Each structure stands twice: as C-alpha cells, then as structure tokens.
Amino acid sequence: EVQLVESGGGLVQPGGSLRLSCAASGFAFSKYAMGWFRQAPGKGLEWVSSITTLGGTTWHVDSVKGRFAISRDNAKNTLYLQLNSLKIEDTAMYYCAQHRRSGLPISVRSTDDYQNWGQGTQVTVSS
C-alpha cells in the first residue's frame, strides 16, 4: 500500500521559514518524480514544485521561485520542501504527491500527472 505522510507544517510569522517532509512507503520511491501542491482556504489545488527521480531537475511555480526549494533523499524515501521568506498568501494545506509515471516525467504541473497523495500538512503564515 502506497503511503505518503507529510509533516513539518505549523504557524509562522511572515518572513519565517519551515521545512516540510513527506515520508513515502509502499513503492519504489527513487523511480518516481514527486511533487508538492497546496490548497488555500476556498481555493483549488495549486501546483507548487516538482523534482525528478534523482533530484537533478526541479520546477517551481513563479510565485515561490527564490523562496521555496524542493529536494529529496532517496536513501530515506523522503521528499522535502524548504519554505523561506514566507508570506501570508502562502497559507495553505500542503500535499505531496507521487507522479503517475516512473522515470522522466513529461508533465508535472497538473493534478492529473499524479497518482497518489498524502493527507497534507497545514502551513499558516500570520503575524
């Protein structure tokens, strides 16, 4: 059974930092690209960032470029998202997801590109 378990969320002031983790099990983690999405209150799921199998290529939505960084540790079957310079508009539930295809992904920005999702971890940015 595939499991994705996010952790690391919390309440932080604007300008602060958090590191999200996603512990994966039940599949060959190193063979799949992975992604992070978020959902703000009253809004749909928004793609945030993705990473290839070995971490050599990453993608980020424009609104987080230079502030967020995705990474992975295949030895630990864990995906990370470092959130720096947080803004109030970053407040959302953050989800990690396993890409639908093993190997090099063709597309990474759509929810349809992913097959399994975690339960999410809440990030709240507030003064």
mmCIF file with all atom_site columns, all heavy atoms in Angstrom, residues 29-45:
data_model
loop_
_atom_site.group_PDB
_atom_site.id
_atom_site.type_symbol
_atom_site.label_atom_id
_atom_site.label_alt_id
_atom_site.label_comp_id
_atom_site.label_asym_id
_atom_site.label_entity_id
_atom_site.label_seq_id
_atom_site.pdbx_PDB_ins_code
_atom_site.Cartn_x
_atom_site.Cartn_y
_atom_site.Cartn_z
_atom_site.occupancy
_atom_site.B_iso_or_equiv
_atom_site.pdbx_formal_charge
_atom_site.auth_seq_id
_atom_site.auth_comp_id
_atom_site.auth_asym_id
_atom_site.auth_atom_id
_atom_site.pdbx_PDB_model_num
ATOM 1   N N   . PHE A 1 29 ? 10.348  4.509  -4.383  1.00 0.00 ? 29 PHE A N   1
ATOM 2   C CA  . PHE A 1 29 ? 10.402  5.971  -4.314  1.00 0.00 ? 29 PHE A CA  1
ATOM 3   C C   . PHE A 1 29 ? 11.392  6.575  -5.307  1.00 0.00 ? 29 PHE A C   1
ATOM 4   O O   . PHE A 1 29 ? 11.082  7.556  -5.990  1.00 0.00 ? 29 PHE A O   1
ATOM 5   C CB  . PHE A 1 29 ? 10.771  6.383  -2.884  1.00 0.00 ? 29 PHE A CB  1
ATOM 6   C CG  . PHE A 1 29 ? 10.887  7.862  -2.656  1.00 0.00 ? 29 PHE A CG  1
ATOM 7   C CD1 . PHE A 1 29 ? 9.758   8.654  -2.608  1.00 0.00 ? 29 PHE A CD1 1
ATOM 8   C CD2 . PHE A 1 29 ? 12.133  8.448  -2.475  1.00 0.00 ? 29 PHE A CD2 1
ATOM 9   C CE1 . PHE A 1 29 ? 9.858   10.031 -2.381  1.00 0.00 ? 29 PHE A CE1 1
ATOM 10  C CE2 . PHE A 1 29 ? 12.256  9.810  -2.255  1.00 0.00 ? 29 PHE A CE2 1
ATOM 11  C CZ  . PHE A 1 29 ? 11.107  10.602 -2.208  1.00 0.00 ? 29 PHE A CZ  1
ATOM 12  N N   . SER A 1 30 ? 12.551  5.979  -5.427  1.00 0.00 ? 30 SER A N   1
ATOM 13  C CA  . SER A 1 30 ? 13.603  6.562  -6.259  1.00 0.00 ? 30 SER A CA  1
ATOM 14  C C   . SER A 1 30 ? 13.288  6.511  -7.741  1.00 0.00 ? 30 SER A C   1
ATOM 15  O O   . SER A 1 30 ? 13.983  7.144  -8.548  1.00 0.00 ? 30 SER A O   1
ATOM 16  C CB  . SER A 1 30 ? 14.936  5.860  -5.983  1.00 0.00 ? 30 SER A CB  1
ATOM 17  O OG  . SER A 1 30 ? 14.852  4.502  -6.381  1.00 0.00 ? 30 SER A OG  1
ATOM 18  N N   . LYS A 1 31 ? 12.272  5.787  -8.135  1.00 0.00 ? 31 LYS A N   1
ATOM 19  C CA  . LYS A 1 31 ? 11.927  5.641  -9.558  1.00 0.00 ? 31 LYS A CA  1
ATOM 20  C C   . LYS A 1 31 ? 10.864  6.633  -10.031 1.00 0.00 ? 31 LYS A C   1
ATOM 21  O O   . LYS A 1 31 ? 10.503  6.650  -11.219 1.00 0.00 ? 31 LYS A O   1
ATOM 22  C CB  . LYS A 1 31 ? 11.442  4.218  -9.838  1.00 0.00 ? 31 LYS A CB  1
ATOM 23  C CG  . LYS A 1 31 ? 12.526  3.159  -9.622  1.00 0.00 ? 31 LYS A CG  1
ATOM 24  C CD  . LYS A 1 31 ? 12.044  1.795  -10.046 1.00 0.00 ? 31 LYS A CD  1
ATOM 25  C CE  . LYS A 1 31 ? 13.092  0.720  -9.777  1.00 0.00 ? 31 LYS A CE  1
ATOM 26  N NZ  . LYS A 1 31 ? 14.340  0.945  -10.521 1.00 0.00 ? 31 LYS A NZ  1
ATOM 27  N N   . TYR A 1 32 ? 10.355  7.449  -9.103  1.00 0.00 ? 32 TYR A N   1
ATOM 28  C CA  . TYR A 1 32 ? 9.266   8.353  -9.457  1.00 0.00 ? 32 TYR A CA  1
ATOM 29  C C   . TYR A 1 32 ? 9.610   9.808  -9.172  1.00 0.00 ? 32 TYR A C   1
ATOM 30  O O   . TYR A 1 32 ? 10.158  10.124 -8.109  1.00 0.00 ? 32 TYR A O   1
ATOM 31  C CB  . TYR A 1 32 ? 8.004   7.992  -8.684  1.00 0.00 ? 32 TYR A CB  1
ATOM 32  C CG  . TYR A 1 32 ? 7.345   6.728  -9.150  1.00 0.00 ? 32 TYR A CG  1
ATOM 33  C CD1 . TYR A 1 32 ? 7.777   5.496  -8.671  1.00 0.00 ? 32 TYR A CD1 1
ATOM 34  C CD2 . TYR A 1 32 ? 6.324   6.753  -10.090 1.00 0.00 ? 32 TYR A CD2 1
ATOM 35  C CE1 . TYR A 1 32 ? 7.197   4.320  -9.117  1.00 0.00 ? 32 TYR A CE1 1
ATOM 36  C CE2 . TYR A 1 32 ? 5.733   5.581  -10.533 1.00 0.00 ? 32 TYR A CE2 1
ATOM 37  C CZ  . TYR A 1 32 ? 6.186   4.373  -10.041 1.00 0.00 ? 32 TYR A CZ  1
ATOM 38  O OH  . TYR A 1 32 ? 5.601   3.222  -10.504 1.00 0.00 ? 32 TYR A OH  1
ATOM 39  N N   . ALA A 1 33 ? 9.246   10.664 -10.116 1.00 0.00 ? 33 ALA A N   1
ATOM 40  C CA  . ALA A 1 33 ? 9.241   12.089 -9.803  1.00 0.00 ? 33 ALA A CA  1
ATOM 41  C C   . ALA A 1 33 ? 8.180   12.338 -8.729  1.00 0.00 ? 33 ALA A C   1
ATOM 42  O O   . ALA A 1 33 ? 7.228   11.562 -8.582  1.00 0.00 ? 33 ALA A O   1
ATOM 43  C CB  . ALA A 1 33 ? 8.938   12.892 -11.061 1.00 0.00 ? 33 ALA A CB  1
ATOM 44  N N   . MET A 1 34 ? 8.388   13.423 -7.998  1.00 0.00 ? 34 MET A N   1
ATOM 45  C CA  . MET A 1 34 ? 7.473   13.760 -6.911  1.00 0.00 ? 34 MET A CA  1
ATOM 46  C C   . MET A 1 34 ? 7.103   15.244 -6.990  1.00 0.00 ? 34 MET A C   1
ATOM 47  O O   . MET A 1 34 ? 7.833   16.048 -7.589  1.00 0.00 ? 34 MET A O   1
ATOM 48  C CB  . MET A 1 34 ? 8.123   13.478 -5.553  1.00 0.00 ? 34 MET A CB  1
ATOM 49  C CG  . MET A 1 34 ? 8.478   12.018 -5.302  1.00 0.00 ? 34 MET A CG  1
ATOM 50  S SD  . MET A 1 34 ? 7.055   10.948 -5.108  1.00 0.00 ? 34 MET A SD  1
ATOM 51  C CE  . MET A 1 34 ? 6.355   11.571 -3.567  1.00 0.00 ? 34 MET A CE  1
ATOM 52  N N   . GLY A 1 35 ? 6.016   15.590 -6.361  1.00 0.00 ? 35 GLY A N   1
ATOM 53  C CA  . GLY A 1 35 ? 5.586   16.976 -6.401  1.00 0.00 ? 35 GLY A CA  1
ATOM 54  C C   . GLY A 1 35 ? 4.944   17.441 -5.110  1.00 0.00 ? 35 GLY A C   1
ATOM 55  O O   . GLY A 1 35 ? 4.561   16.621 -4.258  1.00 0.00 ? 35 GLY A O   1
ATOM 56  N N   . TRP A 1 36 ? 4.863   18.750 -4.990  1.00 0.00 ? 36 TRP A N   1
ATOM 57  C CA  . TRP A 1 36 ? 4.140   19.391 -3.885  1.00 0.00 ? 36 TRP A CA  1
ATOM 58  C C   . TRP A 1 36 ? 3.032   20.270 -4.486  1.00 0.00 ? 36 TRP A C   1
ATOM 59  O O   . TRP A 1 36 ? 3.268   20.984 -5.469  1.00 0.00 ? 36 TRP A O   1
ATOM 60  C CB  . TRP A 1 36 ? 5.065   20.283 -3.060  1.00 0.00 ? 36 TRP A CB  1
ATOM 61  C CG  . TRP A 1 36 ? 6.011   19.553 -2.161  1.00 0.00 ? 36 TRP A CG  1
ATOM 62  C CD1 . TRP A 1 36 ? 7.324   19.260 -2.415  1.00 0.00 ? 36 TRP A CD1 1
ATOM 63  C CD2 . TRP A 1 36 ? 5.730   19.051 -0.844  1.00 0.00 ? 36 TRP A CD2 1
ATOM 64  N NE1 . TRP A 1 36 ? 7.868   18.603 -1.342  1.00 0.00 ? 36 TRP A NE1 1
ATOM 65  C CE2 . TRP A 1 36 ? 6.921   18.466 -0.365  1.00 0.00 ? 36 TRP A CE2 1
ATOM 66  C CE3 . TRP A 1 36 ? 4.610   19.051 -0.027  1.00 0.00 ? 36 TRP A CE3 1
ATOM 67  C CZ2 . TRP A 1 36 ? 7.003   17.869 0.902   1.00 0.00 ? 36 TRP A CZ2 1
ATOM 68  C CZ3 . TRP A 1 36 ? 4.695   18.463 1.232   1.00 0.00 ? 36 TRP A CZ3 1
ATOM 69  C CH2 . TRP A 1 36 ? 5.879   17.877 1.682   1.00 0.00 ? 36 TRP A CH2 1
ATOM 70  N N   . PHE A 1 37 ? 1.876   20.201 -3.869  1.00 0.00 ? 37 PHE A N   1
ATOM 71  C CA  . PHE A 1 37 ? 0.750   21.063 -4.214  1.00 0.00 ? 37 PHE A CA  1
ATOM 72  C C   . PHE A 1 37 ? 0.283   21.743 -2.934  1.00 0.00 ? 37 PHE A C   1
ATOM 73  O O   . PHE A 1 37 ? 0.635   21.318 -1.827  1.00 0.00 ? 37 PHE A O   1
ATOM 74  C CB  . PHE A 1 37 ? -0.406  20.237 -4.801  1.00 0.00 ? 37 PHE A CB  1
ATOM 75  C CG  . PHE A 1 37 ? -0.160  19.738 -6.188  1.00 0.00 ? 37 PHE A CG  1
ATOM 76  C CD1 . PHE A 1 37 ? 0.709   18.685 -6.438  1.00 0.00 ? 37 PHE A CD1 1
ATOM 77  C CD2 . PHE A 1 37 ? -0.816  20.311 -7.275  1.00 0.00 ? 37 PHE A CD2 1
ATOM 78  C CE1 . PHE A 1 37 ? 0.935   18.222 -7.730  1.00 0.00 ? 37 PHE A CE1 1
ATOM 79  C CE2 . PHE A 1 37 ? -0.607  19.852 -8.564  1.00 0.00 ? 37 PHE A CE2 1
ATOM 80  C CZ  . PHE A 1 37 ? 0.268   18.810 -8.793  1.00 0.00 ? 37 PHE A CZ  1
ATOM 81  N N   . ARG A 1 38 ? -0.538  22.762 -3.086  1.00 0.00 ? 38 ARG A N   1
ATOM 82  C CA  . ARG A 1 38 ? -1.126  23.397 -1.919  1.00 0.00 ? 38 ARG A CA  1
ATOM 83  C C   . ARG A 1 38 ? -2.547  23.844 -2.226  1.00 0.00 ? 38 ARG A C   1
ATOM 84  O O   . ARG A 1 38 ? -2.895  24.065 -3.386  1.00 0.00 ? 38 ARG A O   1
ATOM 85  C CB  . ARG A 1 38 ? -0.292  24.591 -1.454  1.00 0.00 ? 38 ARG A CB  1
ATOM 86  C CG  . ARG A 1 38 ? -0.230  25.757 -2.425  1.00 0.00 ? 38 ARG A CG  1
ATOM 87  C CD  . ARG A 1 38 ? 0.732   26.819 -1.898  1.00 0.00 ? 38 ARG A CD  1
ATOM 88  N NE  . ARG A 1 38 ? 0.847   27.946 -2.832  1.00 0.00 ? 38 ARG A NE  1
ATOM 89  C CZ  . ARG A 1 38 ? 1.675   28.967 -2.650  1.00 0.00 ? 38 ARG A CZ  1
ATOM 90  N NH1 . ARG A 1 38 ? 2.476   29.009 -1.571  1.00 0.00 ? 38 ARG A NH1 1
ATOM 91  N NH2 . ARG A 1 38 ? 1.712   29.954 -3.537  1.00 0.00 ? 38 ARG A NH2 1
ATOM 92  N N   . GLN A 1 39 ? -3.328  23.954 -1.160  1.00 0.00 ? 39 GLN A N   1
ATOM 93  C CA  . GLN A 1 39 ? -4.706  24.414 -1.304  1.00 0.00 ? 39 GLN A CA  1
ATOM 94  C C   . GLN A 1 39 ? -4.995  25.436 -0.224  1.00 0.00 ? 39 GLN A C   1
ATOM 95  O O   . GLN A 1 39 ? -5.026  25.095 0.963   1.00 0.00 ? 39 GLN A O   1
ATOM 96  C CB  . GLN A 1 39 ? -5.688  23.247 -1.212  1.00 0.00 ? 39 GLN A CB  1
ATOM 97  C CG  . GLN A 1 39 ? -7.118  23.649 -1.505  1.00 0.00 ? 39 GLN A CG  1
ATOM 98  C CD  . GLN A 1 39 ? -8.032  22.458 -1.709  1.00 0.00 ? 39 GLN A CD  1
ATOM 99  O OE1 . GLN A 1 39 ? -7.776  21.363 -1.207  1.00 0.00 ? 39 GLN A OE1 1
ATOM 100 N NE2 . GLN A 1 39 ? -9.100  22.660 -2.455  1.00 0.00 ? 39 GLN A NE2 1
ATOM 101 N N   . ALA A 1 40 ? -5.196  26.668 -0.652  1.00 0.00 ? 40 ALA A N   1
ATOM 102 C CA  . ALA A 1 40 ? -5.550  27.739 0.271   1.00 0.00 ? 40 ALA A CA  1
ATOM 103 C C   . ALA A 1 40 ? -7.043  27.683 0.568   1.00 0.00 ? 40 ALA A C   1
ATOM 104 O O   . ALA A 1 40 ? -7.816  27.120 -0.215  1.00 0.00 ? 40 ALA A O   1
ATOM 105 C CB  . ALA A 1 40 ? -5.171  29.080 -0.336  1.00 0.00 ? 40 ALA A CB  1
ATOM 106 N N   . PRO A 1 41 ? -7.476  28.266 1.666   1.00 0.00 ? 41 PRO A N   1
ATOM 107 C CA  . PRO A 1 41 ? -8.897  28.246 2.019   1.00 0.00 ? 41 PRO A CA  1
ATOM 108 C C   . PRO A 1 41 ? -9.752  28.801 0.896   1.00 0.00 ? 41 PRO A C   1
ATOM 109 O O   . PRO A 1 41 ? -9.487  29.889 0.379   1.00 0.00 ? 41 PRO A O   1
ATOM 110 C CB  . PRO A 1 41 ? -8.948  29.137 3.262   1.00 0.00 ? 41 PRO A CB  1
ATOM 111 C CG  . PRO A 1 41 ? -7.594  29.043 3.862   1.00 0.00 ? 41 PRO A CG  1
ATOM 112 C CD  . PRO A 1 41 ? -6.647  28.920 2.707   1.00 0.00 ? 41 PRO A CD  1
ATOM 113 N N   . GLY A 1 42 ? -10.751 28.047 0.482   1.00 0.00 ? 42 GLY A N   1
ATOM 114 C CA  . GLY A 1 42 ? -11.679 28.487 -0.543  1.00 0.00 ? 42 GLY A CA  1
ATOM 115 C C   . GLY A 1 42 ? -11.152 28.438 -1.966  1.00 0.00 ? 42 GLY A C   1
ATOM 116 O O   . GLY A 1 42 ? -11.820 28.922 -2.889  1.00 0.00 ? 42 GLY A O   1
ATOM 117 N N   . LYS A 1 43 ? -9.975  27.850 -2.156  1.00 0.00 ? 43 LYS A N   1
ATOM 118 C CA  . LYS A 1 43 ? -9.377  27.785 -3.495  1.00 0.00 ? 43 LYS A CA  1
ATOM 119 C C   . LYS A 1 43 ? -9.077  26.347 -3.884  1.00 0.00 ? 43 LYS A C   1
ATOM 120 O O   . LYS A 1 43 ? -9.126  25.445 -3.059  1.00 0.00 ? 43 LYS A O   1
ATOM 121 C CB  . LYS A 1 43 ? -8.102  28.630 -3.531  1.00 0.00 ? 43 LYS A CB  1
ATOM 122 C CG  . LYS A 1 43 ? -8.340  30.110 -3.283  1.00 0.00 ? 43 LYS A CG  1
ATOM 123 C CD  . LYS A 1 43 ? -7.080  30.912 -3.529  1.00 0.00 ? 43 LYS A CD  1
ATOM 124 C CE  . LYS A 1 43 ? -7.350  32.404 -3.363  1.00 0.00 ? 43 LYS A CE  1
ATOM 125 N NZ  . LYS A 1 43 ? -6.122  33.216 -3.624  1.00 0.00 ? 43 LYS A NZ  1
ATOM 126 N N   . GLY A 1 44 ? -8.763  26.147 -5.157  1.00 0.00 ? 44 GLY A N   1
ATOM 127 C CA  . GLY A 1 44 ? -8.439  24.824 -5.639  1.00 0.00 ? 44 GLY A CA  1
ATOM 128 C C   . GLY A 1 44 ? -6.990  24.464 -5.385  1.00 0.00 ? 44 GLY A C   1
ATOM 129 O O   . GLY A 1 44 ? -6.204  25.271 -4.893  1.00 0.00 ? 44 GLY A O   1
ATOM 130 N N   . LEU A 1 45 ? -6.634  23.225 -5.740  1.00 0.00 ? 45 LEU A N   1
ATOM 131 C CA  . LEU A 1 45 ? -5.261  22.779 -5.601  1.00 0.00 ? 45 LEU A CA  1
ATOM 132 C C   . LEU A 1 45 ? -4.360  23.533 -6.565  1.00 0.00 ? 45 LEU A C   1
ATOM 133 O O   . LEU A 1 45 ? -4.684  23.676 -7.747  1.00 0.00 ? 45 LEU A O   1
ATOM 134 C CB  . LEU A 1 45 ? -5.160  21.287 -5.890  1.00 0.00 ? 45 LEU A CB  1
ATOM 135 C CG  . LEU A 1 45 ? -5.367  20.321 -4.723  1.00 0.00 ? 45 LEU A CG  1
ATOM 136 C CD1 . LEU A 1 45 ? -5.376  18.892 -5.235  1.00 0.00 ? 45 LEU A CD1 1
ATOM 137 C CD2 . LEU A 1 45 ? -4.294  20.503 -3.673  1.00 0.00 ? 45 LEU A CD2 1
#
